[in-house]
Amino acid sequence: MSEPTQAELVARAPEVFTPNYQPAPLVLDRGEGVHVFDLEGRRYLDMVSGIAVSALGHGHPRLVAAIAEQAAKILHTSNLYYNAPSIRLAERLTAACFADRVFFSNSGAEANEAAIKLARKRAHDRGESERVEVLSFTGSFHGRTLGALSATAQPKYHEGFRPIVPGFVYAPLGDLAAVEALTGPRTAAIIVEPIQGEGGVCVPPAGFLAALRARCDEIGALLIFDEVQTGMGRTGAMFAHQHEGVSPDIMSVAKAIGGGLPLGAMLATAEVAASLSYGSHATTYGGNPVACAAGLVVLDVLEGPGFLDGVRARGEQLIGGLRAISDRTGIFSEVRGRGLLVGAELAADRAFGASNLVAACRERGVLVHVAGPRVLRIAPPLIVDAAAVGEALGVVEDAAKSLG
Ligand code: PLP
């Protein structure tokens, strides 16, 4: 029997999957560097990296070798026993930031669940039984599990799933007066993305993270940075908050940390992490040795000489190039972001949406994504070079012109 074609597989998928995704009609078959290939062999320049995951691109030889080597040794240990890659990765992560302790999860949502639980547990351990609230920001995205969803201050994601978890309050991003009004002795934590990703690549005003730090210190609450999308070099620093010189008490990381394997982590200071006492939290797969072996290679590459300088340079090229396109065509009202997490908001006079621009780019062989209905999101592999960024910019301009 012959293998099914791409069109046949695409037609079969809705018969077997729950309908909560709407993928492009492509079956990706393999990848090489910054390119992916569909089942028909058509090549695409990947400027989305599986939503900010494939930081080292596709088929990175060291990553593939480390995964194969670890898979041949042992695939899974559970947390009943130690495994060396997870200990080594935790050591490397804590050496790279404010944190002393790591809890490994399998996704971003789970890392945030751990962060929220830890914040409440710490207050509980200190005898502050009223300190249960978590403040988050309008437009945020923290994941789809119920706790993380409740922290996600976008009503469209709550629709149909209420009641959400009690104890979450929301302030507009950048509004310190609202933060002050909504926080106090009941606040366990403030959770914030240093740059909102899904919410439209929104950068908080300068000094906002520092002001949140000060407010948390003032009221005895914890500060959680959700670096699921912004972490692991994405913005040109290992973690985005490091640009600001402000440290949280807890940080969640996922996406790029496993180089494409499912891995997340919650990191915390030793003093705070102590509340995640024996038996208080767990996940069967956490610290999977294959995912952690991949994470070690990701960190090696990111920490290599000049690597993050390259991310910043490519980011400036991308943001500058998109602004130049906008000057020529008037297509974007704003281009924002940092490093290789970039959003371009469509001007109000454009009759089409960001998904139309994504489709037009795809027809021209470049994969990009949206961040909300009016924002084009570009988040290529961090290994992308200047020529590939230039090619993508040419395609975005051509696609934009085709839509008018
Ligand atoms: N937090 C942020 C900032 C994210 O961007 C995402 C996913 O896009 C998540 C959490 C949820 O991560 P996951 O989809 O791995 O559960």
Side-chain angles (χ1 to χ4, degrees):
M1 213 174 67
S2 62
E3 291 292 318
T5 65
Q6 173 159 281
E8 284 164 357
L9 283 172
V10 167
R12 275 157 54 177
E15 305 299 322
V16 286
F17 288 147
T18 55
N20 51 317
Y21 299 121
Q22 222 167 55
L26 298 186
V27 178
L28 295 188
D29 188 43
R30 64 190 181 88
E32 206 179 293
V34 292
H35 293 100
V36 291
F37 297 80
D38 72 11
L39 212 50
E40 291 173 349
R42 183 166 181 208
R43 190 175 89 146
Y44 296 85
L45 174 58
D46 180 8
M47 295 296 285
V48 56
S49 52
I51 322 186
V53 169
S54 310
L56 307 192
H58 305 275
H60 190 283
R62 280 190 58 201
L63 187 60
V64 173
I67 291 169
E69 196 181 312
Q70 184 56 45
K73 282 169 100 177
I74 189 163
L75 276 177
H76 172 73
T77 58
S78 84
N79 298 295
L80 299 177
Y81 314 97
Y82 291 111
N83 71 70
S86 70
I87 297 170
R88 288 169 52 216
L89 183 59
E91 286 170 351
R92 294 281 297 276
L93 287 170
T94 52
C97 70
F98 73 96
D100 313 299
R101 301 285 183 268
V102 180
F103 167 82
F104 283 117
S105 65
N106 315 287
S107 67
E110 287 169 280
N112 282 329
E113 291 291 333
I116 293 163
K117 283 181 71 177
L118 173 56
R120 284 188 171 173
K121 180 71 162 42
R122 179 174 182 265
H124 170 270
D125 288 357
R126 289 156 68 102
E128 299 181 294
S129 56
E130 301 291 304
R131 196 184 278 282
V132 296
E133 284 184 358
V134 175
L135 177 103
S136 62
F137 293 95
T138 312
S140 58
F141 187 87
H142 299 295
R144 304 287 197 140
T145 53
L146 267 174
L149 182 73
S150 305
T152 294
Q154 297 196 58
K156 68 177 179 190
Y157 292 119
H158 298 171
E159 209 52 59
F161 298 108
R162 294 191 179 92
I164 58 168
V165 176
F168 288 84
V169 292
Y170 312 121
L173 186 69
D175 186 341
L176 283 173
V179 171
E180 279 197 19
L182 289 164
T183 54
R186 289 185 54 78
T187 308
I190 295 177
I191 182 168
V192 64
E193 297 156 82
I195 296 177
Q196 287 187 345
E198 305 299 305
V201 190
C202 302
V203 185
F208 186 62
L209 298 183
L212 295 182
R213 175 74 274 172
R215 180 63 179 161
C216 284
D217 292 345
E218 185 187 342
I219 60 174
L222 298 179
L223 182 60
I224 305 171
F225 285 159
D226 178 343
E227 293 242 21
V228 166
Q229 189 150 173
T230 54
M232 307 311 295
R234 174 60 49 194
T235 68
M238 185 62 77
F239 301 105
H241 70 265
Q242 293 170 334
H243 292 294
E244 312 289 325
V246 180
S247 292
D249 304 290
I250 305 175
M251 172 171 72
S252 50
V253 181
K255 289 199 184 272
I257 187 176
L261 289 185
L263 181 63
M266 182 206 66
L267 295 96
T269 61
E271 191 263 309
V272 168
S275 284
L276 216 59
S277 50
Y278 174 64
S280 63
H281 192 62
T283 175
T284 302
Y285 290 115
N288 173 273
V290 181
C292 289
L296 284 165
V297 177
V298 171
L299 267 181
D300 277 349
V301 173
L302 264 47
E303 289 180 340
F307 187 85
L308 293 177
D309 297 334
V311 172
R312 287 194 291 276
R314 295 288 76 74
E316 280 162 24
Q317 181 191 357
L318 187 54
I319 290 174
L322 288 167
R323 287 187 178 143
I325 290 172
S326 201
D327 289 345
R328 288 193 289 273
T329 63
I331 183 175
F332 301 124
S333 57
E334 193 181 18
V335 177
R336 47 188 187 245
R338 192 160 199 171
L340 289 170
L341 178 58
V342 177
E345 181 154 357
L346 289 173
D349 64 355
R350 301 296 141 141
F352 54 89
S355 58
N356 303 101
L357 188 52
V358 168
C361 289
R362 192 172 63 242
E363 282 162 20
R364 290 163 175 75
V366 172
L367 303 183
V368 288
H369 188 38
V370 303
R374 303 286 300 167
V375 179
L376 179 75
R377 178 170 26 167
I378 306 187
L382 302 183
I383 57 158
V384 73
D385 64 14
V389 171
E391 183 189 333
L393 286 167
V395 164
V396 169
E397 179 155 16
D398 186 49
K401 284 180 180 158
S402 78
L403 292 166

